């Protein structure tokens, strides 16, 4: 146990410090801010949290294809590789894109993988058979953000979903990956450290995963590993609550957690749900038979000194 804690602590320190550095990537940070303002919250979060893993050469130019929030709710999160497939390593003017012949490849950040123009005319464009809006969400001459109707190659995600039901260990490994690729690495490292030993007995549960940023902001008030452990237990509900269950709960429903006496208060507002006042930002980030994960904007226990 001692060793696990030390390992996790060093993982956490490692994870928390690069976070501060990641915000220095101005282009992706501009993209994330702009998308947040324009209502593309899921893509904004995805970009913000993946930005330490994305490398742009040159660093000041990109074209990003932006799927709507509905695509994330339909297909789940964008894994890092598929996210890279939505980014071109330079800004291609829209007029130029629209002038390209069908079958023209567009190299992306995903190594050796190109998107393909499938239709182009002066006012209609599709790439990999997905319609691209010809009204940019944003274009400042170095960064171009273009809305698309769905993920590129979303069917590659559905293939993953229809694989046979995984065992506990496979489920936890998958949850860990999903948490990491959605910028919830701190929660992921707790899952590794605690879940196998404590929760790995076939019980069903729901993880409410704060983004790493929430821990970074709060890092000063988190003193030691047992603090982290307490925080983790407050973010796990001992039953399976999918988004479609969550939206049916009456206003002010109280949910129990693995932390004795700590309850989560569900507040209902149109199309959104707040847990102890914290917005559910990425519903059904992971949805399995044993585990469901929702991404949330902050820590549930804001009263902690
Ligand atoms: C991409 O292609 C190059 C040249 O064909 C090859 O050397 C490299 O290993 C490939 N990279 C990946 C990630 O497949
Ligand atoms: C996306 O789909 C196209 C068409 O099926 C395929 O050629 C391409 O390799 C796929 N790309 C990725 C990254 O999966
Ligand atoms: C960790 O912090 C908690 C409360 O903040 C305190 O009760 C506990 O003694 C601390 N443990 C260690 C090992 O410092
Ligand atoms: C739950 O939250 C609502 C709104 O913040 C508040 O009115 C209500 O008293 C809370 N209920 C409990 C039991 O904390
Ligand atoms: C839920 O309760 C909160 C706190 O009392 C209130 O502000 C909110 O309007 C309620 N929502 C609905 C849909 O009634």
């Amino acid at each position: 146990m001692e060793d696990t804690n030390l390992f996790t602590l060093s993982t956490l320190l490692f994870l928390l410090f690069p976070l501060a550095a990641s915000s220095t990537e101005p282009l992706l940070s501009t993209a994330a801010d702009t998308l947040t303002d324009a209502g593309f919250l899921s893509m904004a979060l995805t970009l913000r949290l993946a930005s330490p893993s994305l490398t742009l050469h040159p660093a000041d130019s990109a074209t990003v294809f932006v799927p709507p929030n509905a695509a994330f709710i339909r297909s789940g999160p964008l894994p890092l590789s598929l996210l890279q497939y939505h980014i071109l390593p330079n800004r291609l003017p829209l007029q130029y894109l629209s002038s390209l012949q069908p079958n023209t490849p567009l190299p992306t950040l995903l190594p050796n993988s190109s998107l393909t123009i499938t239709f182009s005319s002066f006012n209609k464009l599709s790439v990999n058979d997905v319609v691209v809006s010809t009204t940019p969400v944003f274009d400042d001459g170095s960064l171009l953000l273009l809305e698309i109707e769905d993920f590129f190659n979303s069917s590659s995600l559905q293939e993953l979903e229809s694989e046979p039901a995984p065992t506990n260990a496979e489920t936890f490994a998958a949850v860990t990956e999903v948490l990491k690729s959605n910028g919830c690495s701190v929660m992921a490292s707790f899952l590794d450290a605690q879940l196998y030993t404590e929760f790995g007995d076939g019980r069903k549960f729901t993880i409410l995963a704060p983004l790493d940023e929430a821990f970074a902001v709060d890092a000063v008030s988190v003193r030691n590993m047992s603090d982290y452990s307490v925080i983790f237990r407050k973010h796990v509900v001992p039953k399976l609550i999918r988004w479609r269950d969550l939206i049916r709960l009456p206003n002010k429903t109280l949910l129990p957690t693995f932390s004795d006496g700590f309850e989560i208060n569900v507040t209902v507002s149109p199309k959104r749900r707040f847990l102890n006042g914290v917005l559910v930002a990425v519903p059904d980030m992971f949805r399995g038979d044993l585990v469901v994960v929702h991404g949330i904007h902050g820590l549930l226990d804001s009263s902690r000194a």
Side-chain angles (χ1 to χ4, degrees):
M1 203 54 201
E2 213 53 43
D3 285 346
T4 316
N5 281 353
L6 273 176
F7 169 75
T8 315
L9 182 57
S10 56
T11 314
L12 280 172
L13 292 175
F14 174 75
L15 288 168
L16 290 175
F17 287 99
L19 268 173
S22 72
S23 62
T24 62
E25 173 49 74
L27 189 76
L28 292 173
S29 170
T30 304
D33 291 347
T34 308
L35 289 174
T36 303
D37 292 345
F40 294 94
L41 198 60
S42 303
M43 186 61 170
L45 285 170
T46 304
L47 273 182
R48 196 184 300 287
L49 300 161
S51 65
S53 320
L54 296 172
T55 319
L56 287 167
H57 296 294
D60 60 358
S61 174
T63 301
V64 181
F65 293 98
V66 180
N69 296 332
F72 288 82
I73 291 169
R74 213 163 35 232
S75 308
L78 260 188
L80 180 61
S81 59
L82 207 52
L83 174 65
Q84 291 172 313
Y85 196 51
H86 285 69
I87 305 176
L88 309 182
N90 41 30
R91 172 191 170 269
L92 298 179
L94 191 57
Q95 303 90 303
Y96 171 71
L97 278 173
S98 308
S99 71
L100 294 172
Q101 292 301 310
N103 294 326
T104 308
L106 303 169
T108 69
L109 288 196
L110 185 63
N112 299 351
S113 298
S114 292
L115 294 165
T116 309
I117 301 273
T118 42
F119 185 88
S120 62
S121 72
F122 76 100
N123 64 354
K124 194 160 179 286
L125 177 65
S126 73
V127 171
N128 278 29
D129 287 321
V130 173
V131 174
V132 179
S133 167
T134 48
T135 309
V137 178
F138 180 79
D139 186 5
D140 69 354
S142 53
L143 173 66
L144 173 62
L145 302 177
L146 291 174
E147 183 177 3
I148 50 180
E149 284 191 339
D150 195 2
F151 293 161
F152 294 131
N153 292 30
S154 61
S155 58
S156 64
L157 293 172
Q158 277 141 27
E159 278 161 26
L160 291 176
E161 267 175 22
S162 62
E163 279 170 6
T167 65
N168 274 6
E170 280 167 347
T171 301
F172 292 163
V175 173
T176 303
E177 277 317 302
V178 167
L179 284 169
K180 283 184 185 154
S181 67
N182 279 274
C184 301
S185 330
V186 176
M187 280 307 268
S189 57
F190 272 99
L191 191 72
D192 281 345
Q194 276 200 306
L195 210 64
Y196 289 106
T197 49
E198 280 196 59
F199 305 117
D201 56 4
R203 273 188 285 179
K204 298 182 175 185
F205 50 89
T206 300
I207 299 174
L208 303 163
L211 305 167
D212 289 342
E213 286 155 328
F215 288 93
V217 168
D218 236 28
V220 273
S221 63
V222 179
R223 284 171 299 270
N224 61 36
M225 277 312 295
S226 65
D227 284 350
Y228 276 114
S229 165
V230 168
I231 294 171
F232 181 78
R233 303 176 71 85
K234 288 180 174 170
H235 289 78
V236 187
V237 176
K239 55 184 171 183
L240 208 59
I241 306 172
R242 283 158 296 196
W243 176 244
R244 66 163 194 253
D245 307 319
L246 188 58
I247 54 172
R248 296 205 174 103
L249 293 176
N251 206 4
K252 300 178 205 172
T253 299
L254 292 176
L255 300 173
T257 67
F258 278 103
S259 176
D260 284 344
F262 184 80
E263 291 179 314
I264 298 170
N265 184 351
V266 180
T267 338
V268 173
S269 76
K271 294 196 183 156
R272 306 210 276 181
R273 293 298 179 271
F274 293 87
L275 304 174
N276 287 0
V278 175
L279 176 68
V280 179
V282 190
D284 286 352
M285 182 189 285
F286 181 92
R287 199 176 50 209
D289 293 334
L290 289 176
V291 189
V292 168
V293 180
H294 304 297
I296 59 175
H297 249 306
L299 300 181
L300 291 175
D301 183 12
S302 54
S303 66
R304 198 168 34 81

